[in-house]
Amino acid sequence: MGKILVYIQERFPVIPVLLFAFGYAALATGISETQPTKLLQIIVAFAGIFFFFLLRQRVVDEFKDSSHDLKNFPDRPVPRGLISKRQLVSLGAVALLLEWSFVYLLGNNSLLAYLPVFLYSLFMAKEFFVPDWLNQHFNLYLLSHEVIFILFGLFFMLVTNENLKTNSLFLALGALTAAPASVEIIRKFSPRFDKKGKAVQDTYSTVWGRNVALTVLILLSLNA
């Protein structure tokens, strides 16, 4: 258990992710037709879903990026042997269970509405069965993974808005997609260097250039 806690401390900073999850939930709830009596329940439920979804994705990424991390970042917890794959699977299973538990808190119809999000996350885990090709196309990789936030927005709008007009739906989806996308760019903005001191081509400022990455980040922030 101690090793899992160390892993979480290094690779999944709980406080910033919690703030992100509750901020995203508050944004989604603020542009929905949520009844005041259910406001707190919905914010907590959606924040819980998003938090444990992110934790599950963190675990999945450890398996997807194992060769990349072993080559470029051998000091990370998994490459250096701090935590085993079996422990990662257990952590991912707990995250999955809690993720769906919070989905259930939103109501029975939420279970069916969440299926597209969950199924798409499984395709992401397999990198859409074209990992080598996708890893050679940085922008397509980014876009394919940002679709999950559109599905998250649709899921939330479906379970909290029964009479949402089309124009309002597009505006809401724009905000709910731009907000997490901007956080993703912030998370992977600064260049990262391998053990030889060479910049790894897996951050936005490295691939796009700092000015382009900053411009995209500003535009997304304005849309959010």
Side-chain angles (χ1 to χ4, degrees):
M1 187 64 182
K3 291 182 178 180
I4 292 179
L5 291 177
V6 173
Y7 166 78
I8 290 175
Q9 182 180 7
E10 290 189 29
R11 299 292 286 147
F12 192 77
V14 173
I15 299 302
V17 177
L18 268 179
L19 291 174
F20 176 35
F22 273 100
Y24 189 50
L27 172 64
T29 306
I31 58 180
S32 71
E33 296 178 354
T34 305
Q35 297 178 9
T37 56
K38 296 182 178 180
L39 193 64
L40 182 59
Q41 175 188 345
I42 289 176
I43 290 178
V44 170
F46 195 65
I49 295 167
F50 200 59
F51 178 85
F52 288 108
F53 160 79
L54 293 174
L55 178 56
R56 176 166 63 88
Q57 288 302 112
R58 176 68 270 156
V59 171
V60 167
D61 284 349
E62 296 294 353
F63 288 92
K64 285 199 311 177
D65 301 338
S66 58
S67 298
H68 175 80
D69 287 351
L70 185 61
K71 176 183 177 181
N72 297 296
F73 308 111
D75 292 333
R76 285 180 175 176
V78 176
R80 74 173 189 260
L82 172 71
I83 185 171
S84 69
K85 290 184 176 180
R86 179 176 295 182
Q87 289 172 311
L88 281 174
V89 170
S90 298
L91 179 60
V94 171
L96 178 62
L97 176 62
L98 291 171
E99 178 185 349
W100 278 95
S101 298
F102 279 103
V103 171
Y104 180 75
L105 287 179
L106 285 175
N108 292 332
N109 67 324
S110 64
L111 296 173
L112 183 61
Y114 194 66
L115 270 179
V117 178
F118 178 67
L119 292 176
Y120 195 85
S121 73
L122 297 183
F123 280 106
M124 287 171 54
K126 299 298 294 184
E127 293 191 325
F128 306 97
F129 301 99
V130 286
D132 293 336
W133 181 85
L134 203 56
N135 284 323
Q136 293 173 7
H137 297 80
F138 185 85
N139 292 333
L140 286 176
Y141 187 98
L142 167 66
L143 291 173
S144 68
H145 284 63
E146 294 308 304
V147 170
I148 194 74
F149 297 127
I150 298 176
L151 295 177
F152 254 111
L154 277 172
F155 159 70
F156 193 78
M157 303 314 326
L158 282 172
V159 298
T160 59
N161 296 267
E162 296 180 357
N163 303 306
L164 193 67
K165 297 179 181 179
T166 302
N167 290 340
S168 299
L169 175 62
F170 284 127
L171 289 172
L173 282 178
L176 293 175
T177 304
S182 62
V183 172
E184 169 65 11
I185 290 179
I186 291 172
R187 187 177 73 86
K188 296 176 68 175
F189 186 87
S190 298
R192 297 190 293 208
F193 301 92
D194 62 17
K195 55 187 178 182
K196 295 180 180 179
K198 183 180 179 181
V200 181
Q201 298 293 307
D202 65 351
T203 61
Y204 299 101
S205 60
T206 302
V207 177
W208 292 345
R210 183 179 177 84
N211 291 339
V212 173
L214 189 58
T215 300
V216 173
L217 178 59
I218 292 171
L219 290 174
L220 285 171
S221 301
L222 290 175
N223 288 328

